[in-house]
């Protein structure tokens, strides 16, 4: 993903209160961050001393590549397609492949992670305390890895099983992070996001599993309405309150995305973490797929491929589609754009010659358009401007969601952009039980914009179905072969006579960008490796 | 509509900047309003001197009732059903009926208006000036009526036709206003909203009519995609910008609703205007129905009744359905709730005994639920509380949208509630061209909660279809008869032996509330009385 040339990533007076949100834990921390940013570094710039990275650049660990191999694989002129060395060890036998860009950036700015999460109920009741201590080691300056998780295979984490009476479950999490202005934030997110998700799921696991079981019991009775009144069981919720297990998973994803962004904000005080990343995650849990995306149109996308065709599981979140949110923020906090930008959207690009003429516009509360007479204020650059073909926020950045960018300022006015960026994910849920039949050719494709820039959803679906149709169903590497074929199609071949040109088989321009693809088989998602005990329900219900 | 007993409507330090929005015209005015409120009245309370009302209580003028008749009709023990004296003079032959409540309030707090709008393009180009001067006479203390509009019949306003070359069109606007804490705001809105709508439509009429004509020309070619690139005609819009006539009508409605609320804010400086109102409007224009509603669930509702059954044209806007908007406001502007409320929603009502236990909650960015440990802050009343069965905002008001309530404060903490209330309408559009056939039994029913509290959409549809089936299609009063039958069904009969009890034919409780109903025939909506000239297109296009 490109950033406009005028972008600077520096430590500035970022108003973190606009974007950090976890209300319970973070209020105090935000204050601290502000102090450090403003006080410790003269002029607000990161001194070049802070060049150390907590997680140096690498490729996903599930590839099992040596440093030398990683170095060799990043040849921009050859662009080899990388696949996991041990496909049968991938969570849920998911396929994976990646390729580096054709020279746009030295490093591959895409990152990916694939994890089995072995979940067990947190035992503490004083959540405010333990939750933070567990996660934010950086505050003590400690460099301990948070990676206490089974890497690749389910059930590998024995330490989590010490209390055999605690409720347990397994989940799988696949994420793609599309970095901009460097790969640092994408790398950190790929190492840590699953820990935040796991932690949030473990907080609520007992209630979640209980609800899920009762929803399944009632499945036959209320197929269309799977909500379940918690008042019917011994949980201390009011009668009117109907909460479903799905909503607890959503809440865990929502809060963990903000946890991740908050961690990046804190890590930035100690480590070098320029830039940001878009993110899309697929959580496979209790027979459902949760697609959480805090990503830009085309940057990352998930589609479902079945015999019925393809179906988008994520939607566009762009400065354009988020216009009303961004405009309302500027309306309520006009200091965020100062006198440098106009909040309004106009039907045309205004120049001085438009002064006193009439123009169509829309403001934060409008789906429609109204007319106004152009005045001097309207000649300011638009909050959401059109530069070339992509709409940019504050004339700078083409994304409106994701992680990082905490210190991104506009060049001329030194306005902080982070308050407009949101780490909040949108979440779509697919219940695999609602799908009539699942064949081993039904998959979810998750990929970065390197793929979607040159392949339509339909093309991608056809390629995968074709590969899976010609491979043996017992071959654990077939989904990785499908991912490979997707990459090969999107990257294309070097043109004969001009090795710097990449063309697709169709003859059209191939993708010059980093490309990353997961192909996740629904068959193994539908029957996830759960291993929680059949404990006595009523003993496990109370939230207290 | 009831208000909680603890509501006070007084002039307070209402932060108008949170709710008044028309960005171009109103910025300065907001400042003025604040000054007057805070300065002119000691302690911020309206002195009792200001008891004069610009528009005294009355019933809709299209009823043609004398003051004496109005007085007689408000007998709470008899509850006569009122209908227009001249049904054939109602715009589009729409039916209407109303009945007063059974003693809940002295006055009928519902109001209604039905207007034909004869539109012609505003000639001024300096919109900022003329637009405001035209509408807000109150700033000069003048009491001139704004009513220069043809009341009931199309084409009656000759003054508008002085320039026969200006583009013209007719529209019809039907509105119901459900007042709370008095009828004053509902009365003002019923007298003025159509003027604001008309003014906004006239600002943009030339462009609007031009686009509409070209969309109709392209109707056959692109039935499913009626958007039209303005770049193809001589309008000075950028190539990429596709704006449809429908979006200009929406913009006119959106801005005029805020104009109306701003007028109420200003009128309040001079006239006595306590309370507020919910509103639902049906604009019939160029073959489409625009339902604009800034109303609460059940307060006002519009449904479409055809041979296919009934279909809701408005949706619920309640403190509950608007939770995320309200919570985000409190998150970004914590001073709005001070230390008196908790922003979070909880899965149960918390008491002191819940301290340190775990509870499910959700915050402004969450569709899902997460868990937290209860602390002192959580024991504060919830921003959106459950009192009896209805969710209330700041423990006070059961609505989240509408006009008025500018000076509504919470009793204990004197927090201003207005910043949370929005006058912004949601708008649904029904294209009558998309309906296969229109019979004279196809209607839109718009009614206040007095009706919907006791009749389902389906019941209401059946009653209307039955009445229309038994009346002659040439009878111009048949839609009023249908409205009458709806009211009669919802109001029911006095129980024999207990004249204070009202029962429905089914035996169930009838409505004790004010009831107001429009029955609008789609046949006359589909062929609205337009009379604009067939001028040369290209001469009329430029916005300049």
């Amino acid at each position: 993903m490109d950033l406009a040339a005028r972008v600077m990533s520096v430590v500035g007076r970022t108003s973190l209160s606009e974007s950090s949100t976890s209300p319970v834990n973070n209020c105090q921390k935000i204050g601290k961050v502000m102090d450090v940013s403003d006080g410790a570094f003269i002029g607000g710039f990161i001194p070049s001393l802070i060049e150390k990275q907590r997680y140096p650049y690498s490729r996903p660990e599930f590839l099992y590549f040596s440093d030398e191999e990683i170095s060799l694989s990043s040849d921009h002129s050859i662009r080899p397609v990388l696949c996991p060395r041990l496909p049968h060890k991938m969570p849920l036998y998911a396929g994976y492949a990646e390729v580096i860009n054709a020279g746009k950036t030295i490093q591959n700015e895409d990152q990916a992670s694939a994890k089995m999460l072995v979940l067990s109920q947190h035992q503490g009741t004083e959540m405010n305390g333990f939750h933070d201590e567990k996660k934010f080691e950086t505050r003590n300056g400690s460099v301990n890895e948070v990676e206490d998780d089974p890497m690749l295979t389910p059930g590998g984490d024995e330490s989590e099983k010490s209390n055999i009476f605690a409720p347990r479950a397994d989940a799988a999490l696949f994420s793609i992070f599309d970095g901009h202005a460097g790969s640092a934030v994408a790398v950190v997110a790929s190492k840590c996001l699953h820990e935040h998700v796991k932690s949030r799921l473990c907080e609520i696991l007992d209630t979640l599993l209980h609800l899920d079981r009762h929803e399944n019991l009632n499945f036959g009775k209320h197929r269309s309405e799977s909500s379940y009144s918690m008042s019917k069981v011994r949980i201390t919720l009011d009668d009117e309150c109907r909460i479903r297990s799905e909503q607890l998973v959503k809440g865990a994803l929502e809060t963990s995305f903000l946890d991740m962004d908050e961690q990046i904000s804190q890590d930035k005080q100690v480590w070098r973490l320029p830039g940001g990343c878009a993110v899309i995650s697929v959580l496979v849990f209790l027979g459902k797929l949760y697609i959480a995306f805090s990503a830009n149109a085309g940057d990352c996308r998930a589609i479902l491929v079945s015999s019925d065709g393809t179906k988008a599981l994520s939607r566009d979140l762009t400065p354009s589609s988020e216009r009303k949110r961004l405009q309302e923020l500027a309306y309520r906090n006009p200091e965020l754009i100062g006198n440098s930008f106009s909040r309004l959207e106009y039907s045309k690009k205004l120049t001085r010659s438009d002064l006193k003429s009439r123009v169509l516009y829309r403001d934060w509360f409008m789906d429609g358009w109204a007319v106004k007479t152009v005045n001097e204020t309207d000649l300011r650059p638009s909050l959401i401007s059109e530069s070339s073909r992509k709409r940019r926020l504050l004339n700078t950045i083409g994304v409106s969601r994701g992680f990082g960018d905490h210190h991104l300022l506009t060049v001329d006015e030194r306005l902080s952009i982070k308050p407009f960026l949101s780490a909040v994910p949108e979440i779509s849920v697919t219940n695999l039980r609602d799908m009539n039949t699942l064949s081993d050719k039904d998959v979810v494709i998750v990929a970065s914009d390197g793929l979607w820039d040159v392949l339509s959803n339909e093309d991608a679906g056809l390629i995968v179905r074709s590969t899976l149709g010609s491979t043996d169903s017992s071959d654990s590497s077939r989904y990785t072969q499908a991912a490979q074929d997707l990459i090969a199609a999107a990257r294309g071949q070097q043109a004969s006579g001009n090795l710097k040109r990449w063309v697709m088989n169709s003859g059209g321009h191939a993708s010059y960008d980093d490309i990353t693809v997961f192909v996740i088989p629904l068959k193994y998602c539908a029957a996830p490796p759960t291993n929680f005990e059949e404990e006595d329900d009523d003993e496990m219900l109370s939230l207290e």
Side-chain angles (χ1 to χ4, degrees), chain A residues 15 18 329-330 332-338 341 394 415-416 419-420:
Chain A
S15 170
E18 290 305 321
L329 205 53
R332 298 200 185 278
N333 306 85
E335 72 282 2
L336 292 178
I337 55 170
F341 291 89
L394 292 165
L415 290 170
S416 176
F420 291 95

Side-chain angles (χ1 to χ4, degrees), chain A residues 304-311 435-436 442 465:
Chain A
L304 190 146
V305 181
S306 70
S307 53
D308 296 336
T310 61
K311 180 188 160 198
M435 300 183 66
N436 291 328
D442 299 334
R465 300 285 287 191

Side-chain angles (χ1 to χ4, degrees), chain A residues 6-74:
Chain A
R6 312 190 320 138
V7 170
M8 292 173 64
S9 184
V10 293
V11 175
R13 296 177 178 274
T14 310
S15 170
L16 287 171
S17 61
E18 290 305 321
S19 55
S20 297
T21 42
S22 189
V24 187
N25 308 325
N26 296 339
C27 293
Q28 254 191 313
K29 279 182 266 155
I30 292 166
K32 276 192 208 161
V33 172
M34 294 279 297
D35 293 344
V36 175
S37 300
D38 293 338
F41 307 129
I42 295 158
F45 281 81
I46 295 181
S48 54
L49 293 174
I50 306 186
E51 287 294 345
K52 267 185 13 187
Q53 295 193 314
R54 183 180 182 188
Y55 300 104
Y57 176 77
S58 66
R59 299 315 305 157
E61 53 246 42
F62 57 70
L63 292 174
Y64 289 104
F65 275 30
S66 68
D67 287 349
E68 196 189 349
E69 285 170 313
I70 288 175
S71 165
L72 287 174
S73 70
S74 62

